[in-house]
Amino acid sequence: MLTLGSLSVDVPVVLAPMAGITNAAYRRLCAEQGAGLYVCEMITSRGLVEGDQHTKDMLVFDELETVRSVQLYGTDPVYVGKAAEILCAEYGVAHIDLNFGCPVPKVTRKGGGGALPWKRGLLGEILEHAVAAATPYDVPVTMKTRKGIDDDHLTYLDAGRIAQESGCAAIALHGRTVAQAYSGEADWDAIAALVAHVDIPVLGNGDIWEAADAIRMVEQTGAAGVVVGRGCLGRPWIFRDLAAAFSGEEVATLPTLGEVAAMMRRHAELLCQNMGEERGCKEFRKHVSWYLKGFAAGGEMRRSLGLVDSLAALDALLAGLDPAEPFPVAELGTPRGRQGSPRERVVLPEGWLEDADGSGYHLQEDANETTGG
Ligand SMILES: Cc1cc2nc3c(=O)[nH]c(=O)nc-3n(C[C@H](O)[C@H](O)[C@H](O)COP(=O)(O)O)c2cc1C
């Protein structure tokens, strides 16, 4: 059980917000497998406040999604507060997470995402505005962050204290710096250090590839729960294994290729229901290589699936896969999704590191930032 303010989550597992991935279709697909909290892809505060259509299109919830959880991006306390108010009043959300971990240069260049916690005062102002807006609705606010900008500019312990003082219900820590992006290994010791530093629940994030990793993370760090990102790409059934693991069972679901194909079909179908067949199929394409990772399906098959434009075409292609092919167990426990290399230099606004407070600092708020964390 994970307690985030007024919200109780049966299994201490959170689907990480992932831009372009954790839309309503994917959240439903994962929820059909397990239990936990499934966070919507990131939306920008300014886009929401200004009624931007693209932002509104992302705020779609499945009819079975009773707990609506949304991640907001923002750098301006007033916009973030207003956006939190809109989410509570108009969208009936039950949880708001704030993104302070995005490593994308376009974002950090403006002082957003993972760069922002360096400005301790500004971070506090943003969190306080969000909490003040959400409190009348009894909606918990959490923040998600990284260790810091780089090893010489760590921010996570201060961020934890500020989150606690601002009334946040929890803090999620991805055990990497912005400079590391997705490379190397997540530092779970930092998660343990944060747990020791604050009284609010800490959610551990980074490199959970199997359910057993989640249990290990909780045991090693004392985290109140886990946030799973890349480990569920092309494997929504990991949420089944995670739910079992947290109830003391060891389950490793090893679907045959036929079962994976059925999951692919379900995923595509949900996307098409939400977005229409053309866009749904287009969105589905990016998931193909994750689903087929390690299976024998040949290059021609993968290429065709990567161009699929209708459910009928998808069915025809999936019928060509060998349904009996066993799950490629060599893939278990290995990284998937983006990894890349570390950044030599994190792009920051001019003079950013010279002042570590930034109270009242005015940053240009972006309405169309959808690149994620
Ligand atoms: C494709 C992709 C998109 C992401 N988008 C977001 C985002 O919008 N907000 C965010 O806080 N983190 C985002 N992340 C980061 C993840 O939430 C997570 O912190 C990170 O992947 C580390 O966890 P993992 O090792 O379980 O993947 C994204 C990650 C990926 C791979």
Side-chain angles (χ1 to χ4, degrees), residues 1-58:
M1 170 85 96
L2 171 65
T3 306
L4 303 175
S6 60
L7 180 64
S8 297
V9 185
D10 287 348
V11 176
V13 172
V14 180
L15 164 64
M18 287 186 279
I21 309 281
T22 59
N23 49 33
Y26 191 68
R27 299 195 301 278
R28 162 117 183 215
L29 189 75
C30 293
E32 286 175 347
Q33 297 296 311
L37 186 63
Y38 302 92
V39 188
C40 178
E41 48 190 336
M42 176 189 100
I43 61 153
T44 66
S45 298
R46 184 167 157 206
L48 185 57
V49 171
E50 293 182 351
D52 169 61
Q53 193 55 44
H54 180 64
T55 303
K56 285 191 191 163
D57 290 347
M58 282 197 284

Short mmCIF file of all heavy atoms in Angstrom, two decimals, residues 1-58:
data_model
loop_
_atom_site.label_atom_id
_atom_site.label_comp_id
_atom_site.label_asym_id
_atom_site.label_seq_id
_atom_site.Cartn_x
_atom_site.Cartn_y
_atom_site.Cartn_z
N MET A 1 0.84 -1.20 0.00
CA MET A 1 0.00 0.00 0.00
C MET A 1 0.88 1.26 0.00
O MET A 1 1.84 1.35 0.75
CB MET A 1 -0.89 -0.05 1.26
CG MET A 1 -1.64 1.23 1.54
SD MET A 1 -3.17 1.36 0.65
CE MET A 1 -4.30 0.76 1.90
N LEU A 2 0.54 2.16 -0.88
CA LEU A 2 1.27 3.42 -0.97
C LEU A 2 0.30 4.55 -0.63
O LEU A 2 -0.81 4.60 -1.19
CB LEU A 2 1.81 3.59 -2.39
CG LEU A 2 2.42 4.94 -2.78
CD1 LEU A 2 3.69 5.20 -1.97
CD2 LEU A 2 2.72 4.95 -4.28
N THR A 3 0.69 5.42 0.29
CA THR A 3 -0.21 6.51 0.68
C THR A 3 0.37 7.83 0.20
O THR A 3 1.46 8.22 0.59
CB THR A 3 -0.39 6.53 2.21
OG1 THR A 3 -0.83 5.22 2.59
CG2 THR A 3 -1.45 7.54 2.63
N LEU A 4 -0.39 8.50 -0.66
CA LEU A 4 -0.01 9.83 -1.14
C LEU A 4 -1.09 10.78 -0.65
O LEU A 4 -2.13 10.93 -1.30
CB LEU A 4 0.08 9.86 -2.66
CG LEU A 4 1.04 8.86 -3.33
CD1 LEU A 4 0.92 8.93 -4.84
CD2 LEU A 4 2.47 9.12 -2.89
N GLY A 5 -0.90 11.38 0.48
CA GLY A 5 -1.94 12.24 1.04
C GLY A 5 -3.23 11.47 1.18
O GLY A 5 -3.27 10.41 1.80
N SER A 6 -4.28 11.98 0.53
CA SER A 6 -5.60 11.36 0.65
C SER A 6 -5.75 10.12 -0.24
O SER A 6 -6.74 9.42 -0.21
CB SER A 6 -6.67 12.37 0.22
OG SER A 6 -6.42 12.75 -1.13
N LEU A 7 -4.74 9.89 -1.06
CA LEU A 7 -4.85 8.81 -2.05
C LEU A 7 -4.11 7.55 -1.58
O LEU A 7 -2.93 7.61 -1.25
CB LEU A 7 -4.24 9.30 -3.37
CG LEU A 7 -4.24 8.35 -4.56
CD1 LEU A 7 -5.66 8.02 -5.00
CD2 LEU A 7 -3.47 8.98 -5.73
N SER A 8 -4.84 6.43 -1.58
CA SER A 8 -4.20 5.15 -1.24
C SER A 8 -4.11 4.30 -2.50
O SER A 8 -5.10 4.13 -3.20
CB SER A 8 -5.02 4.39 -0.20
OG SER A 8 -5.07 5.15 0.98
N VAL A 9 -2.92 3.79 -2.74
CA VAL A 9 -2.71 2.95 -3.92
C VAL A 9 -2.37 1.55 -3.41
O VAL A 9 -1.43 1.38 -2.63
CB VAL A 9 -1.54 3.51 -4.78
CG1 VAL A 9 -1.38 2.73 -6.06
CG2 VAL A 9 -1.77 5.00 -5.08
N ASP A 10 -3.16 0.56 -3.84
CA ASP A 10 -3.04 -0.80 -3.29
C ASP A 10 -1.64 -1.38 -3.39
O ASP A 10 -1.15 -2.03 -2.48
CB ASP A 10 -3.98 -1.75 -4.04
CG ASP A 10 -5.42 -1.50 -3.63
OD1 ASP A 10 -5.62 -0.77 -2.63
OD2 ASP A 10 -6.33 -2.02 -4.31
N VAL A 11 -1.04 -1.19 -4.55
CA VAL A 11 0.30 -1.74 -4.79
C VAL A 11 1.25 -0.55 -4.99
O VAL A 11 0.92 0.37 -5.74
CB VAL A 11 0.27 -2.65 -6.05
CG1 VAL A 11 1.66 -3.15 -6.38
CG2 VAL A 11 -0.68 -3.81 -5.85
N PRO A 12 2.40 -0.54 -4.33
CA PRO A 12 3.27 0.64 -4.38
C PRO A 12 4.07 0.75 -5.67
O PRO A 12 5.30 0.80 -5.67
CB PRO A 12 4.19 0.45 -3.17
CG PRO A 12 4.28 -1.03 -3.01
CD PRO A 12 2.96 -1.60 -3.45
N VAL A 13 3.33 0.77 -6.76
CA VAL A 13 3.95 0.77 -8.09
C VAL A 13 3.35 1.90 -8.91
O VAL A 13 2.14 2.04 -8.97
CB VAL A 13 3.68 -0.58 -8.81
CG1 VAL A 13 4.15 -0.52 -10.25
CG2 VAL A 13 4.34 -1.73 -8.07
N VAL A 14 4.23 2.69 -9.51
CA VAL A 14 3.78 3.81 -10.34
C VAL A 14 4.33 3.62 -11.76
O VAL A 14 5.52 3.37 -11.93
CB VAL A 14 4.30 5.15 -9.75
CG1 VAL A 14 3.84 6.32 -10.61
CG2 VAL A 14 3.84 5.32 -8.30
N LEU A 15 3.44 3.75 -12.74
CA LEU A 15 3.89 3.80 -14.13
C LEU A 15 4.48 5.18 -14.34
O LEU A 15 3.78 6.19 -14.18
CB LEU A 15 2.70 3.57 -15.09
CG LEU A 15 2.93 3.96 -16.55
CD1 LEU A 15 4.01 3.11 -17.21
CD2 LEU A 15 1.63 3.87 -17.35
N ALA A 16 5.76 5.25 -14.69
CA ALA A 16 6.43 6.54 -14.86
C ALA A 16 5.76 7.34 -15.98
O ALA A 16 5.41 6.77 -17.01
CB ALA A 16 7.89 6.30 -15.21
N PRO A 17 5.62 8.64 -15.79
CA PRO A 17 5.15 9.44 -16.91
C PRO A 17 6.18 9.37 -18.03
O PRO A 17 7.37 9.57 -17.79
CB PRO A 17 5.07 10.86 -16.32
CG PRO A 17 5.95 10.85 -15.11
CD PRO A 17 5.95 9.43 -14.60
N MET A 18 5.73 9.05 -19.24
CA MET A 18 6.64 9.03 -20.38
C MET A 18 5.93 9.70 -21.55
O MET A 18 4.89 9.22 -22.03
CB MET A 18 7.04 7.58 -20.74
CG MET A 18 8.00 6.97 -19.74
SD MET A 18 8.60 5.34 -20.25
CE MET A 18 7.24 4.27 -19.75
N ALA A 19 6.53 10.82 -21.98
CA ALA A 19 5.96 11.60 -23.07
C ALA A 19 5.85 10.72 -24.32
O ALA A 19 6.77 9.99 -24.65
CB ALA A 19 6.84 12.81 -23.35
N GLY A 20 4.71 10.79 -24.97
CA GLY A 20 4.50 10.02 -26.19
C GLY A 20 4.21 8.55 -25.94
O GLY A 20 4.01 7.78 -26.89
N ILE A 21 4.19 8.12 -24.68
CA ILE A 21 3.96 6.70 -24.38
C ILE A 21 2.75 6.52 -23.45
O ILE A 21 1.85 5.74 -23.76
CB ILE A 21 5.19 6.07 -23.65
CG1 ILE A 21 6.50 6.35 -24.39
CG2 ILE A 21 4.96 4.58 -23.39
CD1 ILE A 21 6.77 5.49 -25.58
N THR A 22 2.74 7.22 -22.33
CA THR A 22 1.74 6.89 -21.30
C THR A 22 0.44 7.67 -21.53
O THR A 22 -0.06 8.37 -20.66
CB THR A 22 2.29 7.11 -19.87
OG1 THR A 22 2.68 8.48 -19.70
CG2 THR A 22 3.48 6.22 -19.60
N ASN A 23 -0.11 7.48 -22.72
CA ASN A 23 -1.42 8.05 -23.03
C ASN A 23 -2.51 7.12 -22.46
O ASN A 23 -2.20 6.08 -21.88
CB ASN A 23 -1.56 8.26 -24.54
CG ASN A 23 -1.17 7.01 -25.31
OD1 ASN A 23 -1.36 5.89 -24.84
ND2 ASN A 23 -0.58 7.20 -26.47
N ALA A 24 -3.78 7.50 -22.67
CA ALA A 24 -4.88 6.76 -22.05
C ALA A 24 -4.86 5.28 -22.47
O ALA A 24 -5.13 4.39 -21.66
CB ALA A 24 -6.21 7.40 -22.44
N ALA A 25 -4.52 5.02 -23.73
CA ALA A 25 -4.51 3.63 -24.22
C ALA A 25 -3.46 2.80 -23.48
O ALA A 25 -3.74 1.69 -23.02
CB ALA A 25 -4.23 3.62 -25.73
N TYR A 26 -2.29 3.35 -23.35
CA TYR A 26 -1.21 2.59 -22.70
C TYR A 26 -1.49 2.42 -21.21
O TYR A 26 -1.23 1.36 -20.64
CB TYR A 26 0.14 3.29 -22.93
CG TYR A 26 1.30 2.42 -22.52
CD1 TYR A 26 1.61 1.27 -23.25
CD2 TYR A 26 2.07 2.71 -21.42
CE1 TYR A 26 2.66 0.45 -22.87
CE2 TYR A 26 3.13 1.90 -21.03
CZ TYR A 26 3.41 0.76 -21.78
OH TYR A 26 4.44 -0.06 -21.39
N ARG A 27 -2.03 3.46 -20.59
CA ARG A 27 -2.34 3.34 -19.15
C ARG A 27 -3.38 2.24 -18.93
O ARG A 27 -3.29 1.46 -17.99
CB ARG A 27 -2.84 4.68 -18.59
CG ARG A 27 -1.81 5.79 -18.69
CD ARG A 27 -2.16 6.97 -17.82
NE ARG A 27 -3.45 7.60 -18.08
CZ ARG A 27 -3.69 8.49 -19.03
NH1 ARG A 27 -2.74 8.90 -19.83
NH2 ARG A 27 -4.91 9.02 -19.18
N ARG A 28 -4.37 2.19 -19.81
CA ARG A 28 -5.38 1.14 -19.68
C ARG A 28 -4.78 -0.24 -19.89
O ARG A 28 -5.06 -1.19 -19.16
CB ARG A 28 -6.51 1.39 -20.69
CG ARG A 28 -7.38 0.19 -20.94
CD ARG A 28 -8.79 0.42 -20.53
NE ARG A 28 -9.59 -0.79 -20.73
CZ ARG A 28 -10.84 -0.78 -21.10
NH1 ARG A 28 -11.45 0.36 -21.33
NH2 ARG A 28 -11.51 -1.89 -21.23
N LEU A 29 -3.93 -0.35 -20.91
CA LEU A 29 -3.28 -1.63 -21.21
C LEU A 29 -2.51 -2.13 -19.99
O LEU A 29 -2.59 -3.30 -19.62
CB LEU A 29 -2.33 -1.44 -22.39
CG LEU A 29 -1.71 -2.69 -23.00
CD1 LEU A 29 -2.75 -3.43 -23.83
CD2 LEU A 29 -0.52 -2.32 -23.89
N CYS A 30 -1.76 -1.23 -19.36
CA CYS A 30 -0.99 -1.61 -18.16
C CYS A 30 -1.91 -1.93 -16.99
O CYS A 30 -1.69 -2.89 -16.25
CB CYS A 30 -0.02 -0.49 -17.78
SG CYS A 30 1.29 -0.23 -18.99
N ALA A 31 -2.97 -1.12 -16.85
CA ALA A 31 -3.89 -1.33 -15.72
C ALA A 31 -4.63 -2.66 -15.86
O ALA A 31 -5.02 -3.26 -14.86
CB ALA A 31 -4.87 -0.17 -15.63
N GLU A 32 -4.82 -3.10 -17.09
CA GLU A 32 -5.47 -4.40 -17.30
C GLU A 32 -4.61 -5.54 -16.78
O GLU A 32 -5.09 -6.64 -16.54
CB GLU A 32 -5.78 -4.62 -18.79
CG GLU A 32 -6.95 -3.77 -19.26
CD GLU A 32 -7.22 -3.85 -20.76
OE1 GLU A 32 -6.36 -4.38 -21.51
OE2 GLU A 32 -8.28 -3.38 -21.18
N GLN A 33 -3.32 -5.28 -16.63
CA GLN A 33 -2.39 -6.31 -16.18
C GLN A 33 -2.18 -6.32 -14.68
O GLN A 33 -2.00 -7.36 -14.08
CB GLN A 33 -1.02 -6.09 -16.85
CG GLN A 33 -1.04 -6.22 -18.34
CD GLN A 33 -1.40 -7.63 -18.76
OE1 GLN A 33 -0.84 -8.59 -18.26
NE2 GLN A 33 -2.36 -7.74 -19.66
N GLY A 34 -2.13 -5.14 -14.09
CA GLY A 34 -1.72 -5.10 -12.69
C GLY A 34 -2.46 -4.06 -11.90
O GLY A 34 -3.61 -3.75 -12.18
N ALA A 35 -1.78 -3.53 -10.92
CA ALA A 35 -2.38 -2.51 -10.07
C ALA A 35 -1.32 -1.47 -9.78
O ALA A 35 -0.13 -1.74 -9.88
CB ALA A 35 -2.87 -3.14 -8.77
N GLY A 36 -1.77 -0.29 -9.40
CA GLY A 36 -0.81 0.77 -9.11
C GLY A 36 -1.37 2.09 -9.56
O GLY A 36 -2.58 2.25 -9.76
N LEU A 37 -0.47 3.04 -9.75
CA LEU A 37 -0.85 4.38 -10.17
C LEU A 37 -0.26 4.60 -11.56
O LEU A 37 0.93 4.36 -11.77
CB LEU A 37 -0.28 5.39 -9.16
CG LEU A 37 -0.67 6.85 -9.32
CD1 LEU A 37 -2.17 7.05 -9.15
CD2 LEU A 37 0.08 7.70 -8.29
N TYR A 38 -1.09 5.04 -12.48
CA TYR A 38 -0.65 5.15 -13.87
C TYR A 38 -0.71 6.63 -14.28
O TYR A 38 -1.78 7.19 -14.43
CB TYR A 38 -1.54 4.28 -14.76
CG TYR A 38 -1.52 2.83 -14.33
CD1 TYR A 38 -2.45 2.32 -13.42
CD2 TYR A 38 -0.52 1.98 -14.78
CE1 TYR A 38 -2.40 1.00 -13.00
CE2 TYR A 38 -0.46 0.66 -14.38
CZ TYR A 38 -1.41 0.18 -13.49
OH TYR A 38 -1.34 -1.13 -13.07
N VAL A 39 0.48 7.21 -14.45
CA VAL A 39 0.56 8.66 -14.66
C VAL A 39 0.49 9.01 -16.15
O VAL A 39 1.18 8.42 -16.97
CB VAL A 39 1.88 9.23 -14.06
CG1 VAL A 39 1.86 10.76 -14.10
CG2 VAL A 39 2.08 8.74 -12.63
N CYS A 40 -0.33 10.00 -16.43
CA CYS A 40 -0.50 10.52 -17.80
C CYS A 40 0.80 11.14 -18.28
O CYS A 40 1.63 11.58 -17.49
CB CYS A 40 -1.59 11.59 -17.76
SG CYS A 40 -1.92 12.40 -19.32
N GLU A 41 1.00 11.19 -19.59
CA GLU A 41 2.19 11.86 -20.11
C GLU A 41 2.15 13.34 -19.71
O GLU A 41 1.10 13.91 -19.45
CB GLU A 41 2.30 11.70 -21.62
CG GLU A 41 1.03 11.99 -22.37
CD GLU A 41 1.07 11.59 -23.83
OE1 GLU A 41 2.15 11.49 -24.41
OE2 GLU A 41 0.00 11.39 -24.39
N MET A 42 3.33 13.91 -19.68
CA MET A 42 3.49 15.28 -19.20
C MET A 42 2.73 16.31 -20.04
O MET A 42 2.72 16.24 -21.26
CB MET A 42 4.98 15.60 -19.26
CG MET A 42 5.35 16.97 -18.89
SD MET A 42 7.09 17.20 -19.30
CE MET A 42 6.96 18.05 -20.85
N ILE A 43 2.10 17.25 -19.35
CA ILE A 43 1.49 18.36 -20.09
C ILE A 43 2.03 19.68 -19.52
O ILE A 43 2.44 19.75 -18.37
CB ILE A 43 -0.05 18.32 -20.01
CG1 ILE A 43 -0.52 18.44 -18.57
CG2 ILE A 43 -0.62 17.06 -20.61
CD1 ILE A 43 -1.88 19.04 -18.53
N THR A 44 2.03 20.72 -20.33
CA THR A 44 2.62 21.98 -19.85
C THR A 44 1.56 22.84 -19.18
O THR A 44 0.41 22.90 -19.62
CB THR A 44 3.24 22.80 -21.00
OG1 THR A 44 2.19 23.22 -21.86
CG2 THR A 44 4.25 21.98 -21.78
N SER A 45 1.97 23.50 -18.12
CA SER A 45 1.05 24.35 -17.38
C SER A 45 0.51 25.46 -18.27
O SER A 45 -0.69 25.73 -18.29
CB SER A 45 1.78 24.99 -16.19
OG SER A 45 2.22 23.98 -15.33
N ARG A 46 1.40 26.08 -19.01
CA ARG A 46 0.96 27.19 -19.82
C ARG A 46 -0.01 26.73 -20.91
O ARG A 46 -1.02 27.39 -21.20
CB ARG A 46 2.16 27.91 -20.44
CG ARG A 46 1.74 29.11 -21.19
CD ARG A 46 2.87 30.02 -21.56
NE ARG A 46 2.45 30.81 -22.71
CZ ARG A 46 3.26 31.33 -23.59
NH1 ARG A 46 4.55 31.17 -23.46
NH2 ARG A 46 2.79 32.01 -24.59
N GLY A 47 0.29 25.59 -21.51
CA GLY A 47 -0.61 25.05 -22.53
C GLY A 47 -2.00 24.83 -21.96
O GLY A 47 -3.02 25.14 -22.59
N LEU A 48 -2.06 24.32 -20.75
CA LEU A 48 -3.35 24.05 -20.12
C LEU A 48 -4.07 25.36 -19.79
O LEU A 48 -5.27 25.52 -20.08
CB LEU A 48 -3.11 23.23 -18.84
CG LEU A 48 -4.35 22.75 -18.09
CD1 LEU A 48 -5.24 21.92 -19.00
CD2 LEU A 48 -3.96 21.92 -16.89
N VAL A 49 -3.34 26.29 -19.23
CA VAL A 49 -3.96 27.57 -18.82
C VAL A 49 -4.48 28.32 -20.05
O VAL A 49 -5.54 28.94 -20.01
CB VAL A 49 -2.95 28.43 -18.03
CG1 VAL A 49 -3.48 29.83 -17.78
CG2 VAL A 49 -2.59 27.74 -16.71
N GLU A 50 -3.74 28.23 -21.15
CA GLU A 50 -4.14 28.96 -22.35
C GLU A 50 -5.10 28.17 -23.24
O GLU A 50 -5.48 28.63 -24.31
CB GLU A 50 -2.90 29.39 -23.14
CG GLU A 50 -2.11 30.43 -22.35
CD GLU A 50 -0.88 30.94 -23.06
OE1 GLU A 50 -0.51 30.37 -24.11
OE2 GLU A 50 -0.29 31.90 -22.54
N GLY A 51 -5.46 26.99 -22.80
CA GLY A 51 -6.45 26.21 -23.55
C GLY A 51 -5.91 25.66 -24.86
O GLY A 51 -6.67 25.43 -25.81
N ASP A 52 -4.61 25.44 -24.95
CA ASP A 52 -3.98 24.91 -26.15
C ASP A 52 -4.59 23.55 -26.52
O ASP A 52 -4.74 22.66 -25.68
CB ASP A 52 -2.47 24.78 -25.85
CG ASP A 52 -1.73 24.01 -26.90
OD1 ASP A 52 -1.74 24.46 -28.05
OD2 ASP A 52 -1.16 22.94 -26.58
N GLN A 53 -4.95 23.39 -27.80
CA GLN A 53 -5.67 22.19 -28.23
C GLN A 53 -4.83 20.92 -28.07
O GLN A 53 -5.32 19.88 -27.64
CB GLN A 53 -6.12 22.35 -29.69
CG GLN A 53 -7.13 21.31 -30.13
CD GLN A 53 -8.36 21.23 -29.22
OE1 GLN A 53 -8.92 22.25 -28.82
NE2 GLN A 53 -8.77 20.02 -28.85
N HIS A 54 -3.56 21.02 -28.41
CA HIS A 54 -2.67 19.87 -28.31
C HIS A 54 -2.61 19.37 -26.86
O HIS A 54 -2.61 18.17 -26.59
CB HIS A 54 -1.27 20.27 -28.82
CG HIS A 54 -0.27 19.16 -28.77
ND1 HIS A 54 -0.40 18.02 -29.53
CD2 HIS A 54 0.86 19.01 -28.04
CE1 HIS A 54 0.62 17.22 -29.27
NE2 HIS A 54 1.39 17.80 -28.36
N THR A 55 -2.57 20.32 -25.93
CA THR A 55 -2.53 19.98 -24.51
C THR A 55 -3.84 19.28 -24.11
O THR A 55 -3.83 18.24 -23.44
CB THR A 55 -2.34 21.26 -23.67
OG1 THR A 55 -1.15 21.90 -24.11
CG2 THR A 55 -2.24 20.95 -22.19
N LYS A 56 -4.95 19.86 -24.56
CA LYS A 56 -6.25 19.26 -24.21
C LYS A 56 -6.38 17.85 -24.78
O LYS A 56 -6.95 16.97 -24.15
CB LYS A 56 -7.38 20.13 -24.79
CG LYS A 56 -7.62 21.41 -24.03
CD LYS A 56 -8.91 21.99 -24.54
CE LYS A 56 -9.16 23.39 -24.08
NZ LYS A 56 -10.18 24.06 -24.90
N ASP A 57 -5.83 17.66 -25.98
CA ASP A 57 -5.92 16.33 -26.61
C ASP A 57 -5.18 15.27 -25.80
O ASP A 57 -5.49 14.09 -25.89
CB ASP A 57 -5.33 16.37 -28.03
CG ASP A 57 -6.20 17.16 -28.99
OD1 ASP A 57 -7.37 17.47 -28.63
OD2 ASP A 57 -5.72 17.49 -30.09
N MET A 58 -4.19 15.71 -25.03
CA MET A 58 -3.45 14.73 -24.22
C MET A 58 -4.17 14.41 -22.92
O MET A 58 -3.90 13.40 -22.29
CB MET A 58 -2.05 15.28 -23.91
CG MET A 58 -1.12 15.15 -25.08
SD MET A 58 0.59 15.34 -24.56
CE MET A 58 0.65 17.08 -24.35
#
